[in-house]
Amino acid sequence: MKKFKPLSLLSLIFLAGLVFLAIFLPLLSNTDPNTFNPDLIGDALAPSLTNWFGTDDLGRDLFIRTFSGARISILVAVVSVSISISIGLILGLISGFSSKAVDSILMRFVDLMMAIPTIFLILTIQVILTPSIWNVMIVIGLTSWMGVTRIVRAEVLSIREQLFITAAKARGISNTKLLFKHILPHTLPPVIVAATLGMGSAILTESVLSFLGLGVQPPDASWGNMLDNSLGYMRESPWMAIVPGTFITLTVLALNILGDDCRAKFNPKES
Amino acid sequence: MLKVENITTIFKTGQNTVTAVDDVSFDVPENSTIGLVGESGSGKSVTALSILQLLSSNGKTTSGKVLWKDEDLLSSSEKSFQSIRGKEIGLIFQNPLAALNPVFTIGNQLVETLQLHNPKLSKLNALEKAEHLLTEVNIPDAKKRLNDYPHQFSLGMCQRIMIAITIAMNPKLLIADEPTASLDVTIQAQILHLLNELKIKNKMSILLISHDLGVIAQHCDHVLIMYLGKIVESGTPLDIFKSPQHPYTQALIDSIPNPDPSIKKEPTLLKGDIPSPLNIPTGCRFHTRCPKAFDTCEISEPPFQNHLKNSKTSKVACHLFENKPK
């Protein structure tokens, strides 16, 4: 196996650290991320040795809140991407391997889904149902599988014409086995990239929703509603925007760098 | 054992229909090697793929029969076809590296094939058998190499692995589609020697597709010459090489390079290229390039008949031999 590139190693360390702190920091810390001291209201503190990332307008420690918010972001990323990859992979495989009629129907359905502006759909659903982070995850998952379907379909179309597929067929391998055992692995490298990119965009979508007040509800922290919260204090206390903003950017960047390196690593031809 | 009767295979490309194999018939008896010779684009490979119905999605065998042990494969269900592919009829290809799945180890691919037609075989026994098969096709250090990926082998080794996978189920017929075209001559000799050994050992027949007349002459019991989707001449290697009758066969044999530098011989070059199968010439399809063509050739298609006095096995499709006594 090839070693990771230094940059993706750095990304891996960053993400691992993020996951670790997101899981354990809120458990171990005796500071509750949501309760605030009434005496400190309206007076955000700049980063210092006691509050590493500073505090917000309610005097809550931003370090704790950032990692408590990271839980939400990671959960959203993993759950929604799992949903979208599962749907995308299965429909893509079917579409690429089936008859022209089935393929056309599925692809037109993809076009239809793509025509729906995701953010408005999510907003509508969040308004109709009570805003909940689980709704956000499911809706992001159900509205972001189309890209994966197209990628997988395109891969299947090119792989199914390869000689080794004809050769496998000549050995008497059934179509189902051909599709899931011989074609599926070849579609995974781009899917891994799509998954990491999807995680990045799911984190962004969640941030947008929380920023708009329709995602994670206060007092629970999420990077999006922390940003939303910072709006009024941008001049006096810029760290309130910089901290969640930096984490969103770095996490999405790290996922993309890692995804790209994974694609190269999982390809046996390049090892 | 295998009887191909008048098969015609077409491909649809956009508005056009290409007839790649036109009314081809031949037999492959037990324990024999049949050679199928022709230029690129003459329909050799398509014939092989038509037998196993592995044509790409725009291809279709529109008429004829492929009789395997008196059962017509073309009308059999996909399910029963799957039990014939690999188990009774094996297929190996010109480019062995492309014919092996790059993401699985060769051990994995061997075990898969072994278990496919014998589901009761345990993984351990299958691995043992796989190792044995690799040794049989002369891959050194077989046990260790089972864990290697196809790209870690040379082309010649890949072809031997491909042969190992294909003979895993002891097929009764091996279709070898230009098995040595991408290999150099010493490796080519090894592969052909191996195929011959296996043929005798496993009592199988081989349908050897090649454009290399030397290979064909050495290994085949019966030779078929194909041009633009039709068989133009057939006979024993002796018929074909000692007294080639069809002008195309003569030109083919004439163009074999001779390794003796003292013999300076200019081959008779055929005019132009093989015509596009999109618009096949009328009459005899070779007339556009035939040095001996005359008026009739353009108008009517010559019948495929025996014309040679001293041979019962030879058949040729050419107007030059018509009206002559058998």
Side-chain angles (χ1 to χ4, degrees):
Chain A
M1 276 294 244
K2 202 168 52 175
K3 279 187 180 158
F4 276 115
K5 286 176 197 148
L7 199 61
S8 43
L9 199 64
L10 207 67
S11 307
L12 192 67
I13 292 168
F14 174 80
L15 291 172
L18 189 74
V19 172
F20 181 82
L21 285 174
I23 294 170
F24 292 107
L25 196 69
L27 289 180
L28 298 177
S29 158
N30 47 15
T31 320
D32 185 84
N34 296 340
T35 50
F36 55 91
N37 186 343
D39 300 340
L40 294 170
I41 288 180
D43 205 10
L45 298 174
S48 67
L49 280 177
T50 38
N51 304 101
W52 291 357
F53 290 171
T55 66
D56 65 5
D57 55 318
L58 299 177
R60 295 176 293 196
D61 181 47
L62 282 182
F63 186 69
I64 302 283
R65 276 184 77 74
T66 300
F67 290 104
S68 152
R71 286 184 157 194
I72 303 284
S73 296
I74 292 164
L75 200 65
V76 169
V78 171
V79 174
S80 63
V81 166
S82 306
I83 296 173
S84 71
I85 294 288
S86 314
I87 300 175
L89 202 57
I90 290 168
L91 290 187
L93 286 173
I94 294 171
S95 188
F97 204 66
S98 304
S99 64
K100 264 196 179 130
V102 177
D103 183 32
S104 302
I105 292 168
L106 279 172
M107 281 299 113
R108 293 301 77 74
F109 181 55
V110 165
D111 293 342
L112 181 83
M113 287 298 291
M114 280 196 148
I116 300 172
T118 313
I119 199 80
F120 290 109
L121 185 67
I122 297 173
L123 288 177
T124 318
I125 288 173
Q126 289 291 69
V127 169
I128 297 169
L129 305 171
T130 35
S132 125
I133 196 64
W134 292 101
N135 288 346
V136 174
M137 291 179 212
I138 293 167
V139 176
I140 294 177
L142 289 180
T143 50
S144 59
W145 51 269
M146 294 82 76
V148 181
T149 305
R150 283 196 172 163
I151 294 169
V152 172
R153 172 182 175 269
E155 286 290 314
V156 174
L157 286 180
S158 93
I159 295 295
R160 65 183 277 187
E161 300 298 327
Q162 300 278 325
L163 188 62
F164 61 83
I165 295 299
T166 312
K169 235 177 145 178
R171 265 175 257 150
I173 291 169
S174 69
N175 278 338
T176 337
K177 208 169 170 200
L178 208 59
L179 181 60
F180 288 102
K181 198 180 164 198
H182 288 260
I183 295 178
L184 179 65
H186 291 269
T187 64
L188 290 183
V191 167
I192 290 164
V193 180
T196 47
L197 287 171
M199 283 190 183
S201 82
I203 288 173
L204 287 177
T205 311
E206 182 276 320
S207 300
V208 169
L209 284 175
S210 297
F211 182 78
L212 294 173
L214 288 165
V216 178
Q217 297 301 304
D220 286 331
S222 106
W223 292 343
N225 69 21
M226 284 165 74
L227 265 184
D228 180 28
N229 201 22
S230 75
L231 264 186
Y233 309 92
M234 205 73 98
R235 290 197 179 199
E236 312 89 81
S237 336
W239 59 88
M240 278 176 66
I242 291 170
V243 169
T246 310
F247 269 87
I248 293 171
T249 313
L250 285 181
T251 309
V252 174
L253 183 68
L255 281 169
N256 287 355
I257 291 171
L258 202 65
D260 201 43
D261 209 29
C262 280
R263 184 182 51 84
K265 255 177 92 73
F266 290 149
N267 188 348
K269 276 188 194 161
E270 288 180 37
S271 66
Chain B
M1 190 168 46
L2 177 78
K3 255 187 186 335
V4 174
E5 286 179 3
N6 311 89
I7 58 163
T8 299
T9 296
I10 58 161
F11 287 92
K12 285 210 166 77
T13 56
Q15 302 286 312
N16 302 310
T17 306
V18 176
T19 310
V21 173
D22 193 354
D23 200 17
V24 163
S25 306
F26 60 89
D27 285 1
V28 182
E30 273 174 61
N31 303 324
S32 61
T33 305
I34 306 297
L36 190 55
V37 192
E39 282 171 278
S40 311
S42 58
K44 309 176 300 255
S45 298
V46 177
T47 306
L49 294 176
S50 300
I51 293 171
L52 285 172
Q53 286 297 299
L54 294 169
L55 301 158
S56 59
S57 49
N58 60 342
K60 198 169 182 270
T61 304
T62 49
S63 63
K65 280 181 182 167
V66 177
L67 295 171
W68 173 254
K69 294 174 178 165
D70 300 323
E71 182 201 351
D72 186 14
L73 293 183
L74 296 183
S75 59
S76 70
S77 70
E78 179 68 20
K79 192 118 201 147
S80 63
F81 219 134
Q82 273 166 16
S83 62
I84 285 170
R85 286 186 195 134
K87 197 174 178 190
E88 307 209 11
I89 305 176
L91 177 61
I92 58 176
F93 299 88
Q94 174 174 358
N95 184 350
L97 187 55
L100 291 162
N101 196 329
V103 301
F104 294 119
T105 62
I106 54 145
N108 194 322
Q109 300 187 49
L110 270 164
V111 168
E112 183 190 28
T113 313
L114 285 166
Q115 287 185 325
L116 189 70
H117 295 288
N118 189 2
K120 281 183 204 145
L121 197 68
S122 75
K123 179 123 197 214
L124 216 67
N125 288 342
L127 270 173
E128 223 164 78
K129 189 139 189 247
E131 188 191 332
H132 178 75
L133 280 165
L134 278 195
T135 321
E136 207 170 342
V137 295
N138 308 322
I139 301 282
D141 214 359
K143 191 165 189 156
K144 221 172 115 202
R145 304 235 61 183
L146 281 174
N147 299 320
D148 283 346
Y149 288 92
H151 71 273
Q152 290 165 304
F153 293 89
S154 71
L155 266 187
M157 283 173 126
C158 278
Q159 191 59 288
R160 277 183 273 160
I161 291 163
M162 198 61 218
I163 292 171
I165 293 177
T166 313
I167 59 154
M169 296 317 304
N170 292 327
K172 286 281 150 257
L173 171 66
L174 180 69
I175 303 176
D177 187 358
E178 307 214 28
T180 57
S182 55
L183 308 171
D184 61 45
V185 278
T186 51
I187 308 292
Q188 177 174 323
Q190 283 177 15
I191 297 282
L192 290 167
H193 179 74
L194 174 69
L195 282 178
N196 254 343
E197 261 182 14
L198 292 169
K199 175 194 161 194
I200 296 162
K201 205 174 138 208
N202 295 356
K203 295 198 175 60
M204 62 179 184
S205 298
I206 297 178
L207 175 60
L208 183 61
I209 297 174
S210 180
H211 56 241
D212 189 329
L213 288 162
V215 167
I216 294 286
Q218 220 174 16
H219 293 275
C220 295
D221 305 316
H222 196 85
V223 183
L224 309 158
I225 310 279
M226 231 176 147
Y227 183 79
L228 214 55
K230 260 198 184 312
I231 292 176
V232 292
E233 184 163 359
S234 84
T236 60
L238 215 63
D239 296 331
I240 301 283
F241 292 94
K242 282 288 173 219
S243 49
Q245 300 187 69
H246 199 284
Y248 178 61
T249 316
Q250 289 167 0
L252 272 183
I253 290 168
D254 213 25
S255 55
I256 303 172
N258 196 317
D260 185 351
S262 62
I263 299 173
K264 291 255 188 297
K265 180 188 79 170
E266 280 299 312
T268 37
L269 294 174
L270 289 173
K271 290 174 282 182
D273 284 325
I274 188 162
S276 157
L278 267 177
N279 58 71
I280 289 169
T282 53
C284 170
R285 46 191 71 194
F286 187 56
H287 84 259
T288 51
R289 299 169 77 195
C290 184
K292 294 174 187 164
F294 54 99
D295 300 346
T296 326
C297 297
E298 269 178 66
I299 306 156
S300 76
E301 207 170 314
F304 190 52
Q305 286 172 347
N306 185 347
H307 300 287
L308 214 60
K309 270 185 203 155
N310 49 6
S311 170
K312 287 202 172 88
T313 44
S314 155
K315 274 184 168 183
V316 66
C318 183
H319 286 303
L320 283 174
F321 304 98
E322 252 164 273
N323 308 322
K324 283 187 189 173
K326 270 191 181 179

